[in-house]
Amino acid sequence: METKEINPSITEAMVTGKIYHIRDQKVMLDSDLSDLYQVETKQLKRQVKRNLLRFPADFMFELSDEEQKILRSQFGTLGHGKYSKYGIMAFTEQGVAMLSSVLSSERAILVNIEIIRTFTKIRAALVESNSLRSDVERIKNRLNDHDKNLEIVFNYLDELIISRENEKEPRKRIGFKPDFI
């Protein structure tokens, strides 16, 4: 059986621009997802509400009024009054994946694939970033230790120089004296 490829005309940049950081999670909003899936937001919400068991709290949550105000003021993406009747739904990566089972169109499936790929790339970039950050920290710590050790050596040298300068009598030489001197 041949699978028909439909170009969803979704780019990684389009998806990345619609991912928000809310409640310490990376999420996508229902209106943005409905734009990508080319369905009305109310249809998307209706399908989700009909299948609420598929969307536990770690898959999807509704934004509080305060969160909606903050989102509106920070990003300017939400038109005032556009969502006054219903709360905004925010979907985590797992919630977005679950949407493909609720929205049965081919476009929904293909768009979900692109979204999941984007989430995966973001996660990989974060892991790489954290790895680089830890490498830099390790190098900084080594340099700090090196600097501290050098400072200790120079302090000892300074103490030796000062103690030599403070000696009143020249020190008696110790050791082997050749006969010819």
Side-chain angles (χ1 to χ4, degrees):
M1 183 171 137
E2 271 184 52
T3 56
K4 195 164 70 170
E5 256 324 294
I6 297 176
N7 182 0
S9 67
I10 302 296
T11 65
E12 183 179 332
M14 288 172 61
V15 174
T16 305
K18 295 176 185 295
I19 296 176
Y20 300 99
H21 193 81
I22 302 172
R23 297 184 192 176
D24 293 327
Q25 298 182 65
K26 296 201 178 321
V27 297
M28 294 186 75
L29 304 179
D30 54 9
S31 60
D32 293 332
L33 288 166
S34 65
D35 287 344
L36 292 172
Y37 296 137
Q38 295 179 343
V39 297
E40 289 183 1
T41 305
K42 67 181 180 181
Q43 180 187 352
L44 184 136
K45 288 183 177 195
R46 187 180 313 126
Q47 290 299 95
V48 170
K49 287 183 180 186
R50 286 181 183 164
N51 296 282
L52 274 179
L53 285 177
R54 294 178 184 259
F55 297 95
D58 58 329
F59 282 31
M60 184 271 306
F61 56 88
E62 283 193 35
L63 299 183
S64 68
D65 290 339
E66 188 63 29
E67 289 170 327
Q68 289 182 47
K69 286 178 188 174
I70 291 169
L71 197 62
R72 205 175 269 117
S73 67
Q74 286 184 349
F75 298 107
T77 57
L78 306 174
H80 186 68
K82 186 175 179 184
Y83 296 97
S84 60
K85 198 171 183 182
Y86 303 104
I88 299 171
M89 292 178 173
F91 295 86
T92 64
E93 181 179 354
Q94 294 83 4
V96 171
M98 189 59 72
L99 277 173
S100 66
S101 66
V102 174
L103 301 172
S104 57
S105 71
E106 283 186 56
R107 175 153 178 98
I109 293 167
L110 294 173
V111 168
N112 268 17
I113 290 168
E114 292 302 315
I115 291 171
I116 297 303
R117 284 180 179 151
T118 301
F119 270 109
T120 303
K121 285 179 183 177
I122 289 171
R123 193 178 320 106
L126 287 174
V127 167
E128 186 176 320
S129 171
N130 288 337
S131 173
L132 288 174
R133 187 176 296 125
S134 68
D135 289 346
V136 168
E137 284 300 317
R138 193 170 59 250
I139 291 169
K140 279 183 184 177
N141 290 335
R142 248 192 248 158
L143 289 176
N144 285 340
D145 290 345
H146 183 69
D147 288 348
K148 288 175 187 174
N149 291 338
L150 283 176
E151 187 176 333
I152 290 170
V153 168
F154 283 119
N155 285 338
Y156 284 140
L157 288 174
D158 288 342
E159 287 176 19
L160 279 173
I161 291 171
I162 290 171
S163 69
R164 286 268 170 112
E165 290 173 352
N166 291 338
E167 287 181 359
K168 295 186 175 151
E169 291 181 26
R171 291 179 54 178
K172 223 179 191 185
R173 296 193 72 120
I174 305 174
F176 175 74
K177 286 186 180 180
D179 292 337
F180 55 88
I181 298 183

